[in-house]
């Protein structure tokens, strides 16, 4: 695995939905390599190079989405767990499955409006 702590892949929803999801993760991981910007994209990605901040707590406020968004988070076990917890606090989520390797994990969530 590279030095990247977390890769987030988003499909479904619009640009504003993708930006809201990335903003929710910024409180825990800091700024990503770039924010979603292409209105026409069907799949968007963001990578966070910083490990999850141990003192950052997920915001209790829930965000609204315009459409369902499938989110895949991939990275270190700690990063995937922190991202999953953060997203479940910020959005209505359904766990769609997980996979684990030696040093990397992946989890897929469905975020619903």
């Amino acid at each position: 695995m590279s030095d990247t702590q977390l890769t987030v892949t988003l499909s479904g929803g619009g640009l504003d939905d993708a930006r809201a999801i990335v903003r929710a993760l910024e409180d825990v991981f800091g700024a990503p390599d770039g924010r979603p910007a292409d209105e026409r994209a069907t799949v968007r990605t963001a990578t966070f190079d910083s490990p999850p901040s141990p003192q950052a707590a997920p915001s209790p406020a829930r965000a609204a989405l315009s459409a369902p968004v499938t989110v895949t988070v991939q990275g270190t076990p700690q990063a995937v767990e922190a991202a999953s917890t953060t997203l479940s606090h910020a959005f209505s989520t359904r766990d769609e499955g997980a996979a684990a390797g030696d040093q990397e994990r992946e989890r897929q969530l469905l975020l619903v409006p």
Side-chain angles (χ1 to χ4, degrees), residues 25-105:
L25 293 169
E26 286 178 335
D27 289 340
V28 176
F29 292 94
D33 63 345
R35 288 170 180 77
D38 187 351
E39 183 68 47
R40 296 169 292 152
T42 57
V43 176
R44 298 173 174 94
T45 61
T47 56
F48 295 87
D49 292 328
S50 300
S53 172
Q55 66 268 25
S59 171
R62 292 184 82 74
L65 298 173
S66 67
V69 179
T70 299
V71 179
T72 302
V73 291
Q74 181 180 16
T76 64
Q78 298 83 2
V80 169
E81 187 60 36
S84 299
T85 299
T86 300
L87 293 173
S88 67
H89 281 85
F91 303 95
S92 296
T93 61
R94 286 191 293 217
D95 192 342
E96 297 286 301
D102 270 354
Q103 298 178 19
E104 189 172 83
R105 291 207 178 135

